[in-house]
Structures are given as structure tokens and as C-alpha cells.
Amino acid sequence: MIFGASEDKDIKGIIEQLEHLQPYRIILTRAHNPRAADPQHISRHYFKKTESTVTASVQEAVDILNREIRPDDVAVVTGSLFI
């Protein structure tokens, strides 16, 4: 899963809706937008029990996903519309 959100959104509420998808690996990122939430902050506060990777850009997150995804995996890209 790739996830990024704007800092003025209900990040906790969004993540609560995604919790049923576990187990999964999450790649946290930020859109090139001044409202984008810090993915390090999201990782520290909301994804403590999930394997996560933090990236500096959406492109970096997509590159990681493309390298690591297997043919039978399902990719979810969600959060902000900017992602």
C-alpha cells in the first residue's frame, strides 16, 4: 500500500478504515503539495505495528512498489487525491 495524506485531514480516521487490510506493507509518502503531511510523523504515530517505508516523493514510493510487487499481490494507492 502507498499512503499519503494532507495534514488537515482526519489521518487517524482514514487509517482506522484501512486497518482491516492487514497484514500488508505500507510505503508512506508525501505529495508535492504544501498541505502534505509528513510521512515520518504518520509512521511514528499511526503505523507502529506495520512494516513501513518512508519516502520523500510519490515517484520514489511507486518505484519501490514496482520493484517489490509480485504477480499475485494487490497494490492499493490511497490517502490524498494528490497521491
Side-chain angles (χ1 to χ4, degrees):
M1 176 185 293
I2 294 176
F3 179 83
S6 296
E7 61 187 6
D8 60 339
K9 301 301 178 193
D10 180 13
I11 296 172
K12 181 180 178 193
I14 295 168
I15 292 168
E16 287 173 355
Q17 296 300 309
L18 300 173
E19 287 178 336
H20 72 281
L21 297 176
Q22 291 184 1
Y24 59 83
R25 178 167 185 263
I26 187 154
I27 304 168
L28 299 167
T29 193
R30 69 184 320 150
H32 183 69
N33 184 294
R35 291 178 30 227
D38 178 7
Q40 290 283 357
H41 175 82
I42 294 171
S43 177
R44 282 192 306 272
H45 291 90
Y46 301 108
F47 286 102
K48 297 174 186 173
K49 299 176 185 175
T50 304
E51 179 185 349
S52 64
T53 300
V54 175
T55 66
S57 71
V58 175
Q59 185 60 58
E60 183 182 356
V62 170
D63 290 345
I64 291 169
L65 177 77
N66 285 331
R67 277 195 313 270
E68 297 183 6
I69 197 164
R70 296 177 306 228
D72 292 338
D73 286 345
V74 173
V76 176
V77 181
T78 191
S80 170
L81 291 175
F82 297 106
I83 299 295

